[in-house]
Amino acid sequence: MMSASDAGSYTTRELSWRTWPDFERLFSQGGGWDFCACMLYQRGHHLPGNEFPTRVDSRIRSLAGKRELVRQGRSHGVIVYAAGEPVGWCQYGPVDELPLPGARRLAKGVCVEDDTSQWRITCFVTHHEHRRRGVGSLALAAAIDAIQRQGGGWVEATPIARSYSDTQLRRLAQAHGRNSPEVEEYLRTRRWPEVMVRGVGPVPAARGSFGNTSHSGTVSMFERAGFEAVRIVRDTHVLMRRYVSHS
């Protein structure tokens, strides 16, 4: 069911077989996320480059995989619309549907960040023309409402505190490689920005521009939605949780 948003003209709908064409359109517009089609957390890894050498190849395979999961009722999410066009997305689902927080596989197999969680919110996408307009917050609110309707429980996410793009670092990486001694020396001597997060302390900013580091959302966005920080995970991400009562 389409719902009016508090963010002006935006509306939301649940991912379903009926709204699948809208999802496919959103992930076919040349955005940096197209190749993944939000399959990383369900597949557990990116597609092997030797079998899928281009992002177009990956997009075709990822969309096919997502389509099958939607057909089976095993993929959940919220699509955000502007004037009927899909412009945003939030993926959520039961932990067994999204078993890999941050697509992080441990030596002993797959683990969850907190074994009492029933739900996970993993990914956000916003078309570049609609960023900084509350699309992600609207999608998050709609995802929480959907979780509430489906029984509620503990919900977790691992957003970043903030992103930070360093021009000099980018130049060094382009000239010498991301793992070069020059980059390592620069990072060793450079004081990287941190953000104080209530409940866990200072958290380093994630390296990169906002669009390619913030797919998991931001701490401030989740704080506004009632989530509380638990601990730092993967250096720049924060495990946040909220209990959602059944409606």
Side-chain angles (χ1 to χ4, degrees):
M1 177 178 179
M2 189 169 287
S3 60
S5 84
D6 293 331
S9 60
Y10 294 115
T11 55
T12 65
R13 295 181 72 180
E14 281 280 316
L15 177 65
S16 67
W17 193 243
R18 178 174 293 182
T19 59
W20 167 254
D22 300 328
F23 178 91
E24 189 169 21
R25 187 156 71 253
L26 178 63
F27 283 81
S28 303
Q29 298 181 16
W33 57 78
D34 285 3
F35 79 101
C36 177
C38 227
M39 282 293 291
L40 174 62
Y41 292 84
Q42 294 188 297
R43 184 187 294 120
H45 55 82
H46 286 307
L47 293 168
N50 59 334
E51 296 179 39
F52 302 89
T54 72
R55 288 200 164 200
V56 173
D57 296 325
S58 294
R59 180 177 67 82
I60 293 171
R61 181 64 185 88
S62 293
L63 282 172
K66 179 67 79 173
R67 184 188 304 113
E68 179 59 21
L69 289 173
V70 172
R71 188 188 68 79
Q72 297 174 11
R74 294 174 51 218
S75 186
H76 295 76
V78 171
I79 303 172
V80 181
Y81 299 80
E85 284 297 309
V87 299
W89 160 255
C90 171
Q91 179 166 261
Y92 75 91
V95 292
D96 59 353
E97 185 176 288
L98 301 166
L100 289 169
R104 181 167 57 92
R105 184 177 293 276
L106 301 184
K108 296 183 179 180
V110 176
C111 79
V112 296
E113 291 293 1
D114 191 302
D115 59 12
T116 65
S117 296
Q118 289 87 45
W119 300 87
R120 181 167 291 120
I121 296 173
T122 60
C123 300
F124 294 85
V125 161
T126 302
H127 190 282
H128 66 90
E129 293 181 358
H130 294 267
R131 290 177 182 166
R132 310 289 186 181
R133 299 183 184 180
V135 170
S137 294
L138 173 64
L140 175 57
I144 293 171
D145 288 345
I147 290 170
Q148 187 176 45
R149 293 193 302 271
Q150 295 174 66
W154 281 103
V155 186
E156 70 176 35
T158 53
I160 61 169
R162 63 164 286 195
S163 62
Y164 181 76
S165 181
D166 188 302
T167 301
Q168 179 62 17
L169 177 63
R170 186 167 62 251
R171 289 172 178 167
L172 287 171
Q174 290 172 345
H176 306 285
R178 296 179 62 183
N179 300 316
S180 65
E182 290 82 1
V183 167
E184 291 182 2
E185 177 64 15
Y186 179 77
L187 290 174
R188 186 182 67 80
T189 58
R190 171 77 163 83
R191 179 172 175 79
W192 202 253
E194 294 179 331
V195 177
M196 290 298 299
V197 175
R198 185 168 57 249
V200 299
V203 179
R207 274 187 280 167
S209 61
F210 183 80
N212 63 23
T213 60
S214 61
H215 73 275
S216 56
T218 61
V219 166
S220 60
M221 184 171 71
F222 278 90
E223 284 180 331
R224 290 193 298 270
F227 284 72
E228 295 184 356
V230 178
R231 64 177 181 271
I232 300 173
V233 292
R234 289 174 287 124
D235 299 326
T236 60
H237 291 65
V238 178
L239 173 62
M240 302 190 72
R241 302 181 79 220
R242 170 185 164 178
Y243 187 81
V244 176
S245 300
H246 180 40
S247 59

